[in-house]
Amino acid sequence: MTTAAARAADLRNLWTLPGVYAPQADTHLLAQALHAEGITVGMDVLDLCTGSGALALLAARMGARVSATDISRRAVMTARMNAARAGHRVRVLRGDLAGPVAGQRFDVVVSNPPYMPAPHVRRTRSHRTAVAWDAGRCGRQALDRICAHTRELLRPHGVLLMVHSGVCGVEESLRRLTETGLHCSVTDRAYVPFGPVIIKRQPWLRAQGLIGADEDAEELVIIRAERS
Ligand SMILES: C[S@@+](CC[C@H](N)C(=O)[O-])C[C@H]1O[C@@H](n2cnc3c(N)ncnc32)[C@H](O)[C@@H]1O
């Protein structure tokens, strides 16, 4: 099996409790970027918004000391369970973004945060699942906070690897990260067919000007930002 095929198989083998985000195209693209970054033994890696723990586990497999956070109790249980099954030590903490690791510094921060624009705040039972992707009307609720605060989490020459959709503004992320003094660029892109959430919201997203009339694929980007 090739390394890429082995990585994809590892992601497919993860368990997820109901309501926890199972690895998808964005997870795969970010896993590829994390692998390419060249994590070495003993590096400190933080997986913000870990979900199933997919990216945390990949970093642990590469020899990193890994911390991971998620706001969802079920996601934290899932990530801990997957780490135990794989025989890797991952410190999985429940809390808001980097809150649980405040004051600590990392060589690499990896994040697949919620980034889907949402027309309303859900107060129904589906809320628990939607936390994995809904991110306010512009889709930037978590992204803007990550852009503003990642520099404080990075050691000198530390790197942020983050994935999100073109729908919520790639230039905006680059601008905000640059404003904090990080050197950033888009290092990879993929186009994936619209999934069920975008399809359901298509009329609203079009009315907001967030997707074009003829668009039927979502652009995913990897943003790499480095501290000097
Ligand atoms: C798109 S999923 C990504 C999961 C996983 N990292 C992956 O790539 O498959 C986003 C995750 O962010 C979590 N999340 C949402 N808001 C959060 C917040 N404010 N702080 C920490 N985690 C959050 C959700 O519970 C969900 O597990």
Side-chain angles (χ1 to χ4, degrees):
M1 223 189 292
T2 64
T3 318
R7 246 187 346 261
D10 283 343
L11 295 187
R12 274 196 305 274
N13 285 336
L14 294 174
W15 287 350
T16 49
L17 288 173
V20 176
Y21 192 85
Q24 295 184 27
D26 48 6
T27 320
H28 284 265
L29 192 65
L30 191 50
Q32 204 173 294
L34 184 59
H35 189 259
E37 189 59 37
I39 304 299
T40 53
V41 175
M43 274 187 171
D44 285 302
V45 173
L46 171 65
D47 179 14
L48 273 184
C49 303
T50 194
S52 64
L55 299 157
L57 274 175
L58 174 59
R61 238 175 252 127
M62 291 190 280
R65 269 189 304 267
V66 187
S67 303
T69 69
D70 203 290
I71 204 158
S72 149
R73 200 182 301 274
R74 282 175 184 229
V76 168
M77 282 167 63
T78 297
R80 284 180 183 159
M81 184 172 68
N82 282 321
R85 281 179 68 222
H88 286 297
R89 276 195 68 193
V90 176
R91 190 171 60 130
V92 189
L93 304 167
R94 179 165 181 247
D96 184 25
L97 296 182
V101 293
Q104 295 168 45
R105 299 282 177 273
F106 299 87
D107 301 296
V108 175
V109 175
V110 65
S111 189
N112 179 7
Y115 52 73
M116 188 50 58
H120 45 251
V121 176
R122 291 176 198 235
R123 296 278 178 231
T124 62
R125 282 174 55 183
S126 62
H127 172 73
R128 201 185 287 155
T129 308
V131 160
W133 55 77
D134 277 358
R137 288 182 73 84
C138 300
R140 299 201 55 89
Q141 237 165 35
L143 284 173
D144 286 348
R145 294 174 59 211
I146 293 172
C147 289
H149 298 294
T150 295
R151 191 177 182 282
E152 306 148 23
L153 292 169
L154 294 174
R155 295 196 172 120
H157 307 294
V159 167
L160 164 72
L161 293 170
M162 176 168 74
V163 65
H164 69 74
S165 168
V167 168
C168 50
V170 179
E171 290 307 316
E172 186 64 12
S173 294
L174 295 174
R175 186 184 67 74
R176 286 177 182 260
L177 287 164
T178 304
E179 260 176 21
T180 69
L182 298 178
H183 303 283
C184 56
S185 60
V186 172
T187 53
D188 204 359
R189 287 191 150 84
Y191 292 87
V192 296
F194 283 164
V197 177
I198 291 207
I199 289 175
K200 209 166 155 196
R201 292 184 189 164
Q202 237 166 338
W204 180 78
L205 289 167
R206 288 212 174 104
Q208 304 302 303
L210 296 172
I211 56 173
D214 301 327
E215 263 178 78
D216 58 3
E218 182 183 13
E219 180 191 28
L220 296 175
V221 297
I222 297 292
I223 293 181
R224 182 182 187 279
E226 181 166 353
R227 184 174 171 176
S228 49

mmCIF file of all heavy atoms in Angstrom, residues 21 23 27 47 49-51 55 70-72 75 95-97 112-114 131-132 145, ligand 1:
data_model
loop_
_atom_site.group_PDB
_atom_site.id
_atom_site.type_symbol
_atom_site.label_atom_id
_atom_site.label_comp_id
_atom_site.label_asym_id
_atom_site.label_seq_id
_atom_site.Cartn_x
_atom_site.Cartn_y
_atom_site.Cartn_z
ATOM 1 N N TYR A 21 -17.953 14.394 13.900
ATOM 2 C CA TYR A 21 -17.565 14.530 12.488
ATOM 3 C C TYR A 21 -16.633 13.381 12.077
ATOM 4 O O TYR A 21 -15.528 13.252 12.618
ATOM 5 C CB TYR A 21 -16.850 15.869 12.343
ATOM 6 C CG TYR A 21 -16.597 16.357 10.935
ATOM 7 C CD1 TYR A 21 -17.570 17.054 10.234
ATOM 8 C CD2 TYR A 21 -15.359 16.152 10.323
ATOM 9 C CE1 TYR A 21 -17.326 17.545 8.959
ATOM 10 C CE2 TYR A 21 -15.114 16.637 9.053
ATOM 11 C CZ TYR A 21 -16.101 17.330 8.377
ATOM 12 O OH TYR A 21 -15.849 17.802 7.121
ATOM 13 N N PRO A 23 -14.050 11.652 9.455
ATOM 14 C CA PRO A 23 -13.111 12.255 8.498
ATOM 15 C C PRO A 23 -13.694 12.345 7.089
ATOM 16 O O PRO A 23 -14.304 11.401 6.610
ATOM 17 C CB PRO A 23 -11.925 11.278 8.549
ATOM 18 C CG PRO A 23 -11.986 10.686 9.909
ATOM 19 C CD PRO A 23 -13.441 10.577 10.242
ATOM 20 N N THR A 27 -10.551 16.672 5.928
ATOM 21 C CA THR A 27 -9.631 15.967 6.826
ATOM 22 C C THR A 27 -8.488 15.347 6.012
ATOM 23 O O THR A 27 -7.307 15.445 6.388
ATOM 24 C CB THR A 27 -10.372 14.829 7.576
ATOM 25 O OG1 THR A 27 -11.666 15.278 7.962
ATOM 26 C CG2 THR A 27 -9.585 14.347 8.776
ATOM 27 N N ASP A 47 -3.744 19.820 17.847
ATOM 28 C CA ASP A 47 -4.859 19.663 16.903
ATOM 29 C C ASP A 47 -6.066 20.386 17.491
ATOM 30 O O ASP A 47 -6.693 19.902 18.426
ATOM 31 C CB ASP A 47 -5.134 18.165 16.688
ATOM 32 C CG ASP A 47 -6.304 17.914 15.737
ATOM 33 O OD1 ASP A 47 -6.734 18.867 15.051
ATOM 34 O OD2 ASP A 47 -6.775 16.761 15.680
ATOM 35 N N CYS A 49 -9.816 21.548 17.432
ATOM 36 C CA CYS A 49 -11.068 21.043 16.851
ATOM 37 C C CYS A 49 -10.853 19.631 16.323
ATOM 38 O O CYS A 49 -11.075 19.342 15.145
ATOM 39 C CB CYS A 49 -11.569 21.959 15.730
ATOM 40 S SG CYS A 49 -11.818 23.659 16.225
ATOM 41 N N THR A 50 -10.481 18.730 17.207
ATOM 42 C CA THR A 50 -9.961 17.418 16.795
ATOM 43 C C THR A 50 -11.014 16.447 16.280
ATOM 44 O O THR A 50 -10.690 15.535 15.530
ATOM 45 C CB THR A 50 -9.155 16.801 17.965
ATOM 46 O OG1 THR A 50 -8.391 15.705 17.478
ATOM 47 C CG2 THR A 50 -10.055 16.324 19.104
ATOM 48 N N GLY A 51 -12.281 16.579 16.678
ATOM 49 C CA GLY A 51 -13.324 15.649 16.204
ATOM 50 C C GLY A 51 -12.981 14.214 16.554
ATOM 51 O O GLY A 51 -12.822 13.856 17.723
ATOM 52 N N LEU A 55 -6.372 13.831 12.898
ATOM 53 C CA LEU A 55 -5.107 14.539 12.625
ATOM 54 C C LEU A 55 -4.155 14.406 13.807
ATOM 55 O O LEU A 55 -2.936 14.285 13.623
ATOM 56 C CB LEU A 55 -5.406 16.003 12.295
ATOM 57 C CG LEU A 55 -6.299 16.133 11.050
ATOM 58 C CD1 LEU A 55 -7.040 17.446 11.028
ATOM 59 C CD2 LEU A 55 -5.486 15.939 9.786
ATOM 60 N N ASP A 70 -11.327 19.917 21.730
ATOM 61 C CA ASP A 70 -12.638 19.996 21.057
ATOM 62 C C ASP A 70 -13.663 20.430 22.089
ATOM 63 O O ASP A 70 -13.553 20.099 23.266
ATOM 64 C CB ASP A 70 -13.041 18.645 20.459
ATOM 65 C CG ASP A 70 -14.046 18.804 19.324
ATOM 66 O OD1 ASP A 70 -15.217 19.176 19.619
ATOM 67 O OD2 ASP A 70 -13.687 18.589 18.155
ATOM 68 N N ILE A 71 -14.659 21.169 21.606
ATOM 69 C CA ILE A 71 -15.694 21.671 22.516
ATOM 70 C C ILE A 71 -16.748 20.609 22.804
ATOM 71 O O ILE A 71 -17.485 20.706 23.789
ATOM 72 C CB ILE A 71 -16.332 22.946 21.927
ATOM 73 C CG1 ILE A 71 -16.938 23.793 23.029
ATOM 74 C CG2 ILE A 71 -17.352 22.625 20.844
ATOM 75 C CD1 ILE A 71 -17.097 25.242 22.646
ATOM 76 N N SER A 72 -16.792 19.601 21.966
ATOM 77 C CA SER A 72 -17.822 18.569 22.096
ATOM 78 C C SER A 72 -17.343 17.422 22.977
ATOM 79 O O SER A 72 -16.294 16.827 22.737
ATOM 80 C CB SER A 72 -18.189 18.046 20.693
ATOM 81 O OG SER A 72 -18.561 16.695 20.747
ATOM 82 N N ALA A 75 -16.918 14.311 21.007
ATOM 83 C CA ALA A 75 -15.704 14.297 20.178
ATOM 84 C C ALA A 75 -14.494 13.951 21.049
ATOM 85 O O ALA A 75 -13.634 13.163 20.648
ATOM 86 C CB ALA A 75 -15.520 15.650 19.492
ATOM 87 N N GLY A 95 -12.730 21.830 25.510
ATOM 88 C CA GLY A 95 -12.824 23.262 25.743
ATOM 89 C C GLY A 95 -12.888 24.025 24.438
ATOM 90 O O GLY A 95 -12.854 23.458 23.343
ATOM 91 N N ASP A 96 -12.975 25.344 24.588
ATOM 92 C CA ASP A 96 -13.149 26.240 23.453
ATOM 93 C C ASP A 96 -11.800 26.520 22.791
ATOM 94 O O ASP A 96 -10.888 27.075 23.427
ATOM 95 C CB ASP A 96 -13.771 27.535 24.005
ATOM 96 C CG ASP A 96 -14.094 28.523 22.910
ATOM 97 O OD1 ASP A 96 -14.298 28.105 21.760
ATOM 98 O OD2 ASP A 96 -14.149 29.736 23.220
ATOM 99 N N LEU A 97 -11.649 26.138 21.543
ATOM 100 C CA LEU A 97 -10.415 26.333 20.757
ATOM 101 C C LEU A 97 -9.175 26.041 21.603
ATOM 102 O O LEU A 97 -9.037 24.947 22.120
ATOM 103 C CB LEU A 97 -10.407 27.733 20.137
ATOM 104 C CG LEU A 97 -11.546 27.984 19.116
ATOM 105 C CD1 LEU A 97 -11.459 29.379 18.504
ATOM 106 C CD2 LEU A 97 -11.591 26.944 18.002
ATOM 107 N N ASN A 112 -8.888 21.874 11.507
ATOM 108 C CA ASN A 112 -10.019 21.817 10.575
ATOM 109 C C ASN A 112 -11.226 22.290 11.378
ATOM 110 O O ASN A 112 -11.986 21.491 11.926
ATOM 111 C CB ASN A 112 -10.208 20.367 10.078
ATOM 112 C CG ASN A 112 -11.392 20.240 9.134
ATOM 113 O OD1 ASN A 112 -11.998 21.229 8.743
ATOM 114 N ND2 ASN A 112 -11.726 19.010 8.768
ATOM 115 N N PRO A 113 -11.401 23.605 11.484
ATOM 116 C CA PRO A 113 -12.472 24.128 12.355
ATOM 117 C C PRO A 113 -13.814 24.142 11.621
ATOM 118 O O PRO A 113 -13.861 23.926 10.402
ATOM 119 C CB PRO A 113 -12.007 25.566 12.601
ATOM 120 C CG PRO A 113 -11.298 25.931 11.337
ATOM 121 C CD PRO A 113 -10.662 24.677 10.814
ATOM 122 N N PRO A 114 -14.899 24.418 12.338
ATOM 123 C CA PRO A 114 -16.169 24.622 11.626
ATOM 124 C C PRO A 114 -16.045 25.865 10.746
ATOM 125 O O PRO A 114 -15.489 26.872 11.192
ATOM 126 C CB PRO A 114 -17.186 24.863 12.751
ATOM 127 C CG PRO A 114 -16.461 24.773 14.024
ATOM 128 C CD PRO A 114 -15.003 24.643 13.774
ATOM 129 N N VAL A 131 -22.556 21.704 15.300
ATOM 130 C CA VAL A 131 -21.393 22.357 15.911
ATOM 131 C C VAL A 131 -20.127 22.006 15.139
ATOM 132 O O VAL A 131 -19.165 22.770 15.101
ATOM 133 C CB VAL A 131 -21.261 21.916 17.397
ATOM 134 C CG1 VAL A 131 -19.867 22.138 17.944
ATOM 135 C CG2 VAL A 131 -22.260 22.675 18.246
ATOM 136 N N ALA A 132 -20.133 20.852 14.477
ATOM 137 C CA ALA A 132 -18.956 20.416 13.725
ATOM 138 C C ALA A 132 -18.713 21.273 12.494
ATOM 139 O O ALA A 132 -17.594 21.331 12.011
ATOM 140 C CB ALA A 132 -19.083 18.951 13.325
ATOM 141 N N ARG A 145 -11.158 33.824 15.008
ATOM 142 C CA ARG A 145 -10.494 33.688 16.321
ATOM 143 C C ARG A 145 -9.181 32.925 16.170
ATOM 144 O O ARG A 145 -8.180 33.262 16.806
ATOM 145 C CB ARG A 145 -11.443 32.983 17.303
ATOM 146 C CG ARG A 145 -12.668 33.849 17.610
ATOM 147 C CD ARG A 145 -13.667 33.089 18.449
ATOM 148 N NE ARG A 145 -13.095 32.653 19.696
ATOM 149 C CZ ARG A 145 -13.463 31.537 20.345
ATOM 150 N NH1 ARG A 145 -14.410 30.765 19.852
ATOM 151 N NH2 ARG A 145 -12.889 31.214 21.470
HETATM 152 C C1 LIG B 1 -15.062 20.063 10.792
HETATM 153 S S1 LIG B 1 -14.911 19.177 12.324
HETATM 154 C C2 LIG B 1 -13.239 18.606 12.147
HETATM 155 C C3 LIG B 1 -12.932 17.362 12.902
HETATM 156 C C4 LIG B 1 -11.538 16.744 12.626
HETATM 157 N N1 LIG B 1 -10.464 17.643 13.003
HETATM 158 C C5 LIG B 1 -11.388 16.370 11.175
HETATM 159 O O1 LIG B 1 -10.605 17.026 10.468
HETATM 160 O O2 LIG B 1 -12.039 15.421 10.729
HETATM 161 C C6 LIG B 1 -14.807 20.528 13.479
HETATM 162 C C7 LIG B 1 -14.715 20.128 14.954
HETATM 163 O O3 LIG B 1 -14.624 21.351 15.702
HETATM 164 C C8 LIG B 1 -15.301 21.202 16.939
HETATM 165 N N2 LIG B 1 -15.586 22.564 17.438
HETATM 166 C C9 LIG B 1 -16.568 23.408 17.055
HETATM 167 N N3 LIG B 1 -16.462 24.593 17.722
HETATM 168 C C10 LIG B 1 -15.384 24.467 18.536
HETATM 169 C C11 LIG B 1 -14.761 25.343 19.472
HETATM 170 N N4 LIG B 1 -15.224 26.586 19.700
HETATM 171 N N5 LIG B 1 -13.671 24.897 20.153
HETATM 172 C C12 LIG B 1 -13.189 23.632 19.955
HETATM 173 N N6 LIG B 1 -13.753 22.761 19.072
HETATM 174 C C13 LIG B 1 -14.820 23.169 18.369
HETATM 175 C C14 LIG B 1 -16.496 20.342 16.597
HETATM 176 O O4 LIG B 1 -17.001 19.707 17.745
HETATM 177 C C15 LIG B 1 -15.882 19.373 15.553
HETATM 178 O O5 LIG B 1 -15.429 18.206 16.193
#
